[in-house]
């Protein structure tokens, strides 16, 4: 199911589902990485196929690295490759996967099903405390940790990025999520006024 | 003005005067003043009227713990005047007054006390009739005894919830809490210290202590970045696993702490004597708080009732504030007060030992204290400061599992906590001497740290410096009464004694009979005295009596804080902006936004009609992206679906689409959809919009249970769906660039294909809800707008119209297609829907199979059928109107609508099983009660042979 010539439109782009919804900036900054390359495999055979490609797999709910990609182990047989800035490397993996014969797992369509937003800014910790019930203090939640939890009252996968926290969640809730973060940012501004 | 010069008044900013009003009269205070302090500074001591007798009441504790100082703000009832700051233009009024605070018509109640004995309402208001309480008495009592008034038009406020995690939470920033927090933070723990007051320090801020102690602790605190201080923050409860709500104004910190140190202090207790509630009689701590925090002189001429050192210190403070201390009355024998006694005498204060205050009298209308009787003689004064003892602040410790006891030797109430992650420090643990409290804080921190795995030297237990027994006031009922034990509920000593005489000997029963401790103070000033009175009256010890159960919340909290802020959840399909651009009327359906119809509201009916006709006569396009989409992959995918759905799927050929119907374990229909077999090991399954989350969860559950080789993936958001439907649908798709052959023979009804359409990878299924020739195109969501544009462009020559939910609803109703949840309920079986054809008789098992077989044996009582309302019928029933048979309800209408294709109203309805035959006439009760008859028709009203969808 490789795409042809058609144009891809993601929620925060013109003509996207969340077109017109502002991503907050200021003390809390929300940025959109939804269009960034990623590829996930899920189901029987996924881990073995990836391992056979020489991709080292971390433990469940941990993040590994491979040729600049982040390897997120969401489950035994649920692995997501994030390739911010290294799309070519990922493209090679995808090409190999499409050409391979089963068993090789199945696509998890994370590039379509999940929005990918990044929360950062000087009030990052305060914003995350407002959005997520988990203990995300640096000593409790390190750069290689993954939390599969709720952020902004919806199901989400979150982990640290150098700039802040990356959040993956249901793409259809993009507008809602951006509004929720904006509301939290407003509360923070009011509280610290 | 009762204002004292600086340095008195640590909380106020004299450069910022603030004007407000109380009971319509203008007042002025300073920024930082509480309402009570600003009013006291201007000589306004009466703040409220009491609950039952409407007696004037004023400042008791300055901690906001009781009903005496609750006031009404325009949009906020029951506000603690002692703690709430004034603000410019604030309009404050008194509560529980009939008339005005100054002239309360219900003050006459004070004369009728003997006709209102404790528990009188349990007897009086039971009759004369069974409903007298609800119909007659309760409305009167509500009017008489109401406290604050709720403003239903209050402006919106912003509330906010956040989460807080720490290693150690210290509640209370008095000397013990400060020392505990500092010790824990110095060892490297992540510490949060909260206090309800606007500043740290607790008693160090208002008591007679060396200011260097607090400034020393403060500077240590500031040097610790891992110590977070939350002032103005109430810890309002302890819940399992150290979950504690910290309320900071309009923000709720949902706090999880690994270790908790409760340094909640002690609650100073009032003395019990006749007229002990007069404004002007206050606890020693209240007088000290007025002086030091607010620079308010609590009176001119004071008598101090002191049975401990704090009372002596209060007397010295009063002298410093320029009051004349007429006399210090100490019920204890001479010589026990030590150096403080000498200091006071040195300042010329008369000290009378072995005596107590026996009664007080007020000015006219009891508006202020006028004199007190000590040893039989009256002394004029306008302030009586009372320091005769305290009780540990037991609320949080008890919620955390603490047990209240009584040390008969020391005459003190005690709290013991089980070994664990909650620790006590300071006065709440009995260490009320300053040095003891600081040491006890350090020790609590050491215990917490060692549990956290820090290597710390274990501190030896604190040996209290004051080891002599505390003073206990003998409580004897005054013959004339008005010796209040519970100020909130106007309960006197005799009320409690009478309750025990009635046979209510246990504290929980005494509480329920007398209402003691049920008011805003929740027993803070009455529980200990009550326990002593009940112990005395029943010949038991105070320890045996105990106190009533303490539950969260510790103090009142607004509903706004509990609610917090919630953005309304919304989900948008990838085509949202396309719909908006086409002027769709977007409506929320569950969390989803969906086009209801396309066009202006003024011509909604016309738009829906045209959309329906487009589908019936030309071609329409519907966004079906909200449908649940699930992919079932793996060698056992067919077997998995066989067990989950009622039809057979294991034998379903690749490239075919099959209806699927899901039952729950009681055999009720819970979902339907279609399953397209894309490969031997891969099915693409749709579920209804509303049910998919649950269907997906159920699939994961059964997959874990059955351990088949299957992976379940929810693609609801990842894929979008476009339904191209109508007689011209094939022409539209044929005009698009595609590798799929859409011809009738190559792509028959109930089959599926994948390929490319307009450069977009698609999964196409020939199915349809409308009854017309219909293709459902599913594609990755990021490409859905492109596919939509391509279909719209290809459809233009054929008059293609996008259509909305309302047209879709009618189109399916014309075909008699059911909507799960709309036309089914919690007990609907496949047989009741006439769906026997969709239930495999050959499969040995599927979820719900055993139940529908058992239920079939019970006999079927109802059937879902179509009802026809001939054109011109005046009264059309709504949805959920009753279907009657012989006057008794046997079913209900489930879907009703006007069919433009048929030119009449049609409905689906459950009717009696014997009325299911076509042509039977059933009776439906309309909304206005009119009974109408309607003929039963077969399920499909339109194209009953289904010829159109298979062209």
């Amino acid at each position: 199911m490789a795409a042809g010539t058609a144009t891809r439109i993601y929620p925060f782009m013109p003509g996207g589902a969340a077109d017109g919804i502002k991503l907050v900036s200021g003390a809390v900054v929300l940025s959109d990485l939804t269009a960034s390359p990623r590829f996930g495999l899920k189901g029987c055979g996924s881990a073995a196929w990836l391992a056979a490609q020489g991709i080292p797999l971390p433990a469940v709910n941990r993040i590994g690295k491979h040729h600049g990609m982040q390897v997120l182990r969401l489950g035994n047989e649920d692995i997501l490759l994030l390739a911010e800035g290294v799309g070519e490397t990922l493209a090679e993996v995808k090409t190999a996967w499409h050409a391979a014969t089963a068993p090789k797992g199945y696509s998890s369509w994370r590039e379509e099903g999940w929005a990918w937003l990044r929360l950062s800014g000087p009030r990052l910790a305060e914003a995350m405390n407002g959005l997520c019930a988990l203990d995300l203090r640096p000593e409790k939640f390190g750069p290689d940790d993954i939390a599969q939890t709720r952020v902004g009252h919806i199901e989400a996968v979150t982990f640290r990025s150098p700039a802040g926290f990356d959040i993956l969640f249901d793409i259809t809730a993009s507008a809602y999520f951006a509004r929720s973060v904006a509301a939290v940012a407003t509360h923070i501004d009011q509280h610290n006024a | 003005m009762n204002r004292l010069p600086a340095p008195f008044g640590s909380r106020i900013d004299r450069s910022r005067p603030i004007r407000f009003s109380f009971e319509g009269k203008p007042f002025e205070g300073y920024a930082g003043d509480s309402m009570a302090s600003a009013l006291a500074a201007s000589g306004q001591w009466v703040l409220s009227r009491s609950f039952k007798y409407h007696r004037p009441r004023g400042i008791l504790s300055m901690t906001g713990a009781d009903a005496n100082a609750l006031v009404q703000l325009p949009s906020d009832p029951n506000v603690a005047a002692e703690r709430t700051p004034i603000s410019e233009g604030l309009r404050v009024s008194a509560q529980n007054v009939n008339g005005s605070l100054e002239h309360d018509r219900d003050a006459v109640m004070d004369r009728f006390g003997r006709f209102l004995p404790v528990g009188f309402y349990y007897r009086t208001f039971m009759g004369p009739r069974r409903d007298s309480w609800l119909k007659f008495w309760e409305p009167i009592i509500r009017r008489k005894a109401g406290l604050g008034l709720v403003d239903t038009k209050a402006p919106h406020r912003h509330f906010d919830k956040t989460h807080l995690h720490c290693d150690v939470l210290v509640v209370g920033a008095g000397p013990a809490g400060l020392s505990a927090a500092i010790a824990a933070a110095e060892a490297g723990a992540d510490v949060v210290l909260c206090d309800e007051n606007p500043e740290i320090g607790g008693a160090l801020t208002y008591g007679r202590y060396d200011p260097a102690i607090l400034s020393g602790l403060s500077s240590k605190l500031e040097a610790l970045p891992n110590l977070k201080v939350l002032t103005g923050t109430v810890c309002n409860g302890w819940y399992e696993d150290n979950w504690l709500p910290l309320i900071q104004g309009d923000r709720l910190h949902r706090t999880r702490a690994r270790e908790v140190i409760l340094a909640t202090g002690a609650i100073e207790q009032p003395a019990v004597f006749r007229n002990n509630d007069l404004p002007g009689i206050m606890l020693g701590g209240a007088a000290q708080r007025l002086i030091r925090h607010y620079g308010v002189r609590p009176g001119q001429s004071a008598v101090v009732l002191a049975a401990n050192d704090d009372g002596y210190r209060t007397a010295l403070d009063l002298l410093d504030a320029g009051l004349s201390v007429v006399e210090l009355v100490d019920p204890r024998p001479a010589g026990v007060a030590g150096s403080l006694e000498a200091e006071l005498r040195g300042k010329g204060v008369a000290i009378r030992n072995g005596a107590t205050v026996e009664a007080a009298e007020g000015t006219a209308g009891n508006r202020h204290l006028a004199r007190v009787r000590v040893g039989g003689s009256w002394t004029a004064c306008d302030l009586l400061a009372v320091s005769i003892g305290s009780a540990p602040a037991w609320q949080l410790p008890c919620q955390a599992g603490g047990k209240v006891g009584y040390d008969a030797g020391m005459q003190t109430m005690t709290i013991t906590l089980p070994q664990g992650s909650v620790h006590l420090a300071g006065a709440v643990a009995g260490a009320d001497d300053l040095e003891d409290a600081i040491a006890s804080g350090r020790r609590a921190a050491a215990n917490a740290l060692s549990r956290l795995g820090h290597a710390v030297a274990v501190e030896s237990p604190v040996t209290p410096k004051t080891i002599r027994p505390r003073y206990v006031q003998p409580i004897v009922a005054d013959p004339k009464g008005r010796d209040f034990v519970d100020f909130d509920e106007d309960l006197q000593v005799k009320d409690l004694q009478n309750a025990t005489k009635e046979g209510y000997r246990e504290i929980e029963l005494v509480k329920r009979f007398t209402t003691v401790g049920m008011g805003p103070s929740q027993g803070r000033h009455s529980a200990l005295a009550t326990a002593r009175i009940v112990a005395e009256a029943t010949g038991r010890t105070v320890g045996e009596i105990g106190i009533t159960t303490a539950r969260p919340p510790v103090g009142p909290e607004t509903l706004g804080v509990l609610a917090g802020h919630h953005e309304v959840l919304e989900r948008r399909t990838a085509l949202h902006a396309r719909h908006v651009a086409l002027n769709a009327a977007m409506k929320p359906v569950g969390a989803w936004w969906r086009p209801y119809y396309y066009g202006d509201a003024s011509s909604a009916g016309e738009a829906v009609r045209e959309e329906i006709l487009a589908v019936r006569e030309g071609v329409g396009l519907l966004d079906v992206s909200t449908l649940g989409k699930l992919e079932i992959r793996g060698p056992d995918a067919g077997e998995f679906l066989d067990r989950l759905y009622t039809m057979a799927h294991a034998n379903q050929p690749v490239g075919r689409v099959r209806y699927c119907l899901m039952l729950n374990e009681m055999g009720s229909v819970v979902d339907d959809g279609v399953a397209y077999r894309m490969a031997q090991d891969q099915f693409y399954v749709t579920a209804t919009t509303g049910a998919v989350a649950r269907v997906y969860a159920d699939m994961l559950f059964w997959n874990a249970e059955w351990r088949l080789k299957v992976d379940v993936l929810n693609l609801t958001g990842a894929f979008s769906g476009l339904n191209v439907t109508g007689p011209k649908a094939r022409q539209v798709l044929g005009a698009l660039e595609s590798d799929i052959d859409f011809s009738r023979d190559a792509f028959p009804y109930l089959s599926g294909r994948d390929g490319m359409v307009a450069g977009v990878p698609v999964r196409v299924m020939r199915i349809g809800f409308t009854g017309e020739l219909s293709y459902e195109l599913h594609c990755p969501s990021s490409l859905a707008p492109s596919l939509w544009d391509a279909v719209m462009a290809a459809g233009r020559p054929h008059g293609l119209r996008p259509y909305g939910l309302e047209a879709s609803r009618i189109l399916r109703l014309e075909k008699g297609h059911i909507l799960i949840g709309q036309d089914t309920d919690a007990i609907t079986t496949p047989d009741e829907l006439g769906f026997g054809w969709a239930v495999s008789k050959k499969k040995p098992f599927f979820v719900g199979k055993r139940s529908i077989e058992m239920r079939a044996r019970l006999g079927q009582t109802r059937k879902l059928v179509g009802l026809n309302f001939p054109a011109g019928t005046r009264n059309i029933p709504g949805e959920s109107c009753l279907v009657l048979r012989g006057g008794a309800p046997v079913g209900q209408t489930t879907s009703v609508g006007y069919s433009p294709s048929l030119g009449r109203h049609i409905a689906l309805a459950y009717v009696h099983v014997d009325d299911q035959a076509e042509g039977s006439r059933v009776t439906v009760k309309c909304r206005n009660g009119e009974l109408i008859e309607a003929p039963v028709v077969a399920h499909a009203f339109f194209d009953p042979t289904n010829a159109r969808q298979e062209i």
Side-chain angles (χ1 to χ4, degrees):
Chain A
M1 242 179 156
T5 50
T7 315
R8 293 188 183 274
I9 296 179
Y10 293 101
F12 293 102
M13 293 178 172
D19 188 5
I21 303 274
K22 280 212 177 93
L23 296 171
V24 289
S25 59
V28 177
V29 181
L30 191 63
S31 35
D32 180 24
L33 282 83
T34 305
S36 303
R38 58 197 180 282
F39 178 63
L41 289 182
K42 185 169 179 285
C44 196
S46 304
W49 188 85
L50 288 167
Q53 308 305 302
I55 298 175
L57 298 180
V60 172
N61 282 331
R62 304 281 291 173
I63 301 174
K65 294 274 188 301
H66 179 67
H67 294 172
M69 296 188 296
Q70 284 179 291
V71 183
L72 275 66
R73 187 85 180 260
L74 302 172
N76 263 331
E77 295 280 14
D78 187 357
I79 296 128
L80 176 62
L81 305 177
L82 301 179
E84 193 185 355
V86 285
E88 306 77 33
T89 317
L90 183 71
E92 285 167 25
V93 176
K94 282 170 77 171
T95 307
W97 184 80
H98 281 291
T101 51
K104 56 175 179 174
Y106 303 87
S107 168
S108 55
W109 291 102
R110 304 300 188 203
E111 67 279 22
E112 292 291 338
W114 283 351
W116 179 5
L117 297 190
R118 179 163 294 163
L119 193 67
S120 58
R123 296 275 182 188
L124 170 71
E126 213 175 331
M128 243 354 229
N129 282 341
L131 290 164
C132 181
L134 283 191
D135 188 352
L136 297 172
R137 288 177 289 159
E139 65 274 22
K140 297 283 168 190
F141 189 76
D144 298 335
D145 285 322
I146 297 173
Q148 303 193 48
T149 178
R150 289 169 78 81
V151 180
H153 298 289
I154 57 172
E155 287 174 18
V157 174
T158 189
F159 50 94
R160 288 185 180 278
S161 68
F165 282 95
D166 281 14
I167 303 149
L168 305 167
F169 59 91
D170 175 15
I171 198 164
T172 66
S174 294
Y176 161 80
F177 190 83
R179 275 198 293 109
S180 292
V181 174
V184 166
T186 306
H187 284 130
I188 289 172
D189 288 344
Q190 284 169 355
H191 196 76
N192 295 307
Chain B
M1 281 288 287
N2 299 322
R3 204 62 90 160
L4 297 166
F8 293 122
S10 60
R11 286 185 184 173
I12 56 169
D13 176 356
R14 288 169 217 255
S15 68
R16 290 168 57 205
I18 286 182
R19 284 165 298 275
F20 68 107
S21 72
F22 180 61
E23 286 288 275
K25 279 185 283 185
F27 284 91
E28 198 174 283
Y30 295 122
D33 253 327
S34 71
M35 298 171 201
S37 68
L39 290 170
S42 302
Q44 174 69 43
W45 292 98
V46 180
L47 296 174
S48 72
R49 291 275 175 166
S50 72
F51 187 66
K52 191 163 151 189
Y53 301 126
H54 288 251
R55 290 167 65 93
R57 292 280 168 83
I59 291 169
L60 173 65
S61 67
M62 277 310 281
T63 62
D66 51 83
N68 275 15
L70 293 187
V71 293
Q72 174 84 42
L73 297 185
S75 295
D76 237 344
N78 307 322
V79 172
E82 294 172 335
R83 293 169 47 83
T84 311
I86 52 169
S87 55
E88 190 62 40
L90 191 67
R91 284 180 297 128
V92 187
S93 49
Q95 294 187 165
N96 203 39
V97 294
N98 179 6
S100 70
L101 179 65
E102 192 58 26
H103 299 285
D104 185 342
R105 284 188 284 276
D106 288 345
V108 70
M109 298 292 279
D110 201 13
R111 310 254 174 93
F112 294 115
R114 65 194 156 105
F115 301 112
L116 309 169
V118 64
F120 74 102
Y121 26 72
Y122 293 128
R123 303 190 180 93
T124 314
F125 303 135
M126 299 309 287
R129 289 171 28 176
R130 277 172 67 94
D131 61 352
S132 295
W133 165 248
L134 273 179
K135 292 274 190 278
F136 182 72
W137 296 113
E138 197 201 9
I140 295 179
I141 293 167
R142 282 228 176 268
R143 276 200 302 279
K144 283 282 167 233
L147 287 168
L149 296 175
V150 172
D151 176 12
T152 53
K153 296 190 174 67
H156 283 278
R157 265 162 71 189
H158 285 283
F159 295 90
D160 164 27
K161 279 185 195 175
T162 186
H163 300 92
L164 183 61
H165 297 268
C166 59
D167 297 332
V168 181
L169 171 70
V170 182
V171 182
L178 282 170
S179 94
I182 290 167
E186 281 176 346
D190 201 358
V191 181
V192 171
L193 170 65
C194 74
D195 194 287
E196 60 187 357
N197 292 294
E199 73 283 282
I200 57 160
L204 296 175
T205 64
Y206 61 83
R208 197 174 176 82
Y209 297 104
D210 181 357
I213 301 169
L214 179 55
S215 60
L217 290 166
S218 294
S219 55
K220 279 188 181 176
L221 202 76
E222 280 153 21
L224 292 162
N226 52 331
L227 202 172
K228 182 185 175 85
V229 179
L230 295 174
T231 51
T233 302
V234 178
C235 178
N236 221 18
W238 180 94
Y239 296 84
E240 214 56 51
D241 297 327
N242 286 345
W243 192 97
L244 305 102
L246 304 187
I247 301 172
Q248 187 181 28
D250 290 344
R251 174 177 274 194
L252 172 64
H253 299 265
R254 300 155 62 117
T255 307
R256 182 81 70 182
R258 291 174 69 195
E259 299 287 316
V260 174
I261 296 173
L262 299 173
T264 46
I267 304 164
E268 207 166 26
Q269 297 294 301
V272 180
F273 53 85
R274 177 168 164 78
N275 291 330
N276 61 341
D277 63 331
L278 295 173
I281 300 178
M282 65 182 75
L283 298 169
Q288 290 181 305
R289 284 173 163 98
L290 281 172
I291 294 168
R292 289 232 165 69
H293 286 161
Y294 302 108
V296 171
R297 188 186 298 114
Q300 303 294 335
S301 174
V303 170
V304 178
L305 175 60
N308 52 38
D309 287 357
D310 285 337
Y312 282 75
R313 293 193 191 104
T314 302
L316 289 165
D317 283 347
L318 293 174
L319 289 174
D320 288 355
L323 278 83
S324 106
V325 177
V326 184
E327 188 172 40
L328 183 141
V329 182
D330 188 340
R332 302 173 299 176
V336 289
S339 62
L340 288 165
E341 187 176 335
E343 191 178 348
L344 260 186
R345 284 193 199 279
K347 296 192 186 231
V349 174
I351 297 176
R352 187 172 351 184
N353 284 101
T356 189
V357 173
E358 295 138 9
E361 276 187 3
T363 57
N366 278 335
R367 286 182 179 82
H368 202 84
L369 173 68
R371 61 193 76 85
V372 295
R373 195 179 79 215
V374 180
S377 60
W378 289 94
T379 305
C381 60
D382 65 352
L383 170 68
L384 174 65
V386 177
S387 291
I388 59 153
S390 60
W394 68 87
Q395 288 80 6
L396 282 173
C398 286
Q399 290 167 24
K403 293 276 172 278
V404 167
Y406 195 77
D407 182 336
M410 292 291 292
Q411 300 275 33
T412 54
M413 191 170 142
T414 59
I415 300 169
T416 38
L417 272 171
Q419 280 283 322
S421 59
V422 181
H423 315 267
L424 300 182
V428 71
D432 48 10
D433 175 87
L434 180 61
E435 281 172 40
D436 292 348
I438 289 174
S440 130
R442 272 199 309 270
R443 180 175 156 74
N447 285 341
L449 287 165
S450 85
R451 287 177 49 89
L452 288 171
H454 292 259
V456 282
V458 178
E459 302 243 345
S460 53
V462 175
T463 331
K465 294 224 165 20
T466 49
I467 43 164
R468 61 172 177 273
R470 308 291 207 281
Y471 165 75
V472 176
Q473 186 203 8
I475 302 176
V476 182
D478 189 284
K480 292 195 208 156
R482 300 301 180 267
D483 42 359
F484 292 99
V485 176
D486 187 328
F487 292 6
D488 296 343
E489 303 277 333
D490 271 353
L491 290 168
Q492 309 154 77
V493 176
K494 66 175 180 201
D495 294 327
L496 295 160
Q497 290 174 338
N498 287 341
T500 62
K501 286 179 194 156
E502 295 273 357
Y504 299 103
R505 293 164 49 88
E506 303 309 324
I507 192 71
E508 295 282 359
L509 297 178
V510 170
K511 172 176 175 174
R512 278 148 189 82
F513 186 67
T514 63
T515 70
V516 66
M518 288 192 187
S521 81
Q522 289 287 292
R524 281 171 178 78
H525 298 133
S526 61
L528 187 53
T530 302
R532 285 178 174 151
I533 291 166
V534 174
E536 172 77 24
T538 60
R540 288 176 293 175
T541 65
V542 177
E544 285 171 316
I545 301 301
I547 57 164
T548 56
T549 310
R551 297 184 182 87
V554 173
E557 55 199 12
T558 60
L559 292 174
V561 160
L562 298 183
H565 174 90
H566 286 271
E567 287 295 314
V568 179
L569 177 62
E570 58 161 328
R571 300 178 77 188
R572 297 179 177 187
T573 75
L575 300 168
H576 189 89
R578 293 292 188 274
H579 302 316
V580 172
L582 288 165
N583 194 28
M586 301 300 287
K587 280 205 171 190
V589 182
W592 289 100
W593 282 103
R594 298 198 66 177
Y596 196 56
Y597 55 84
Y598 294 83
D600 293 325
S602 56
S603 53
E606 185 64 12
V608 171
R609 203 183 63 82
E610 285 174 9
E611 288 172 17
I612 292 169
L613 289 180
V615 173
R616 290 280 177 242
E617 291 168 9
V619 58
L621 176 61
L622 179 70
D623 178 6
V624 294
S625 304
T626 65
L627 273 178
K629 303 168 211 81
L630 302 156
E631 212 174 77
I632 316 297
R633 310 87 72 90
D636 291 335
E639 169 68 16
F640 184 71
L641 295 185
D642 258 7
R643 297 192 196 183
L644 266 179
Y645 289 103
T646 59
M647 286 181 86
H649 296 281
N651 62 2
Q652 181 179 332
V654 171
R656 291 301 299 274
V657 175
R658 216 164 252 185
Y659 180 70
C660 44
L661 185 69
M662 184 180 275
L663 308 181
N664 62 14
E665 285 169 295
M666 68 178 246
S668 297
V669 174
V670 291
D671 192 40
D672 70 350
V674 294
Y676 162 33
R677 190 164 210 165
M678 300 177 65
Q680 197 58 32
D681 64 346
Q682 189 175 13
F683 285 85
Y684 186 66
V685 179
T686 65
T688 54
T689 301
V692 61
R694 191 202 145 170
V695 167
Y696 176 61
D698 280 357
M699 283 183 171
L700 297 185
F701 171 84
W702 288 118
N703 196 22
E705 181 100 353
W706 294 332
R707 295 182 169 275
L708 294 172
K709 286 185 184 141
V710 163
D711 177 67
V712 183
L713 182 68
N714 190 345
L715 286 177
T716 301
F719 273 65
S720 295
L722 280 65
N723 190 14
V724 185
T725 181
K728 296 178 181 168
R730 189 174 287 133
Q731 287 159 259
V732 173
L733 293 179
L736 287 160
E737 188 191 320
S738 178
D739 56 359
I740 300 173
D741 182 351
F742 288 99
S743 69
R744 182 185 170 173
D745 295 335
F747 196 162
Y749 185 60
L750 286 182
S751 52
R753 299 287 179 265
D754 20 324
M756 301 291 288
V757 170
V760 174
V762 288
R763 301 169 174 186
V764 189
M765 295 178 282
R766 239 198 97 180
I767 49 171
F769 213 33
T770 63
E772 301 296 333
L773 171 64
S774 185
Y775 299 88
E776 230 173 74
L777 278 63
H778 290 235
C779 70
S781 289
S782 68
L783 294 165
S786 294
L787 185 61
W788 173 275
D789 294 345
V791 173
M792 287 288 283
R796 199 160 294 127
H798 304 283
L800 177 139
R801 256 188 100 112
Y803 67 100
L805 203 57
E806 179 59 10
S808 172
R809 193 180 78 84
I810 299 296
L811 287 163
R812 68 93 200 177
L813 184 57
E814 289 176 344
K815 287 298 294 175
H817 287 159
I818 61 155
L819 281 174
I820 306 284
Q822 163 106 23
D823 302 303
T824 65
D825 56 32
I827 56 170
T828 302
T829 62
D831 282 343
E832 290 176 345
L833 301 173
F835 276 18
W837 57 268
V839 179
S840 163
K841 307 288 183 291
K842 291 182 193 155
K843 289 196 294 183
F845 170 83
F846 55 84
V847 174
K849 177 180 164 77
R850 197 171 121 82
S851 296
I852 53 171
E853 287 166 359
M854 288 163 70
R855 289 172 67 178
R857 284 197 288 277
L858 292 173
Q860 189 179 340
T861 58
R862 60 176 191 167
K863 179 82 193 292
L864 188 74
V865 299
L867 296 183
N868 225 336
F869 300 96
T873 306
R874 279 181 307 108
N875 203 352
I876 302 295
E879 286 168 356
S880 294
C881 280
L882 289 177
V883 175
L884 304 176
R885 193 175 206 253
V890 290
Q892 80 277 5
T893 57
T894 58
S895 293
V896 180
Y898 177 77
S899 161
S901 316
L902 301 166
R904 60 174 184 266
H905 279 87
I906 52 177
L908 293 178
Y910 286 100
V911 300
H912 192 275
V913 70
D914 294 340
D915 290 338
Q916 64 175 295
E918 176 138 21
S920 298
R921 296 187 73 82
V922 297
T923 305
V924 185
K925 187 178 183 181
C926 295
R927 290 261 162 82
N928 64 356
E930 189 188 341
L931 303 181
I932 61 164
E933 277 208 346
V936 169
V937 291
H939 246 26
F941 298 91
F942 181 78
D943 181 29
T945 61
N946 294 334
R948 301 173 68 93
Q949 67 193 15
E950 295 183 33
I951 57 172

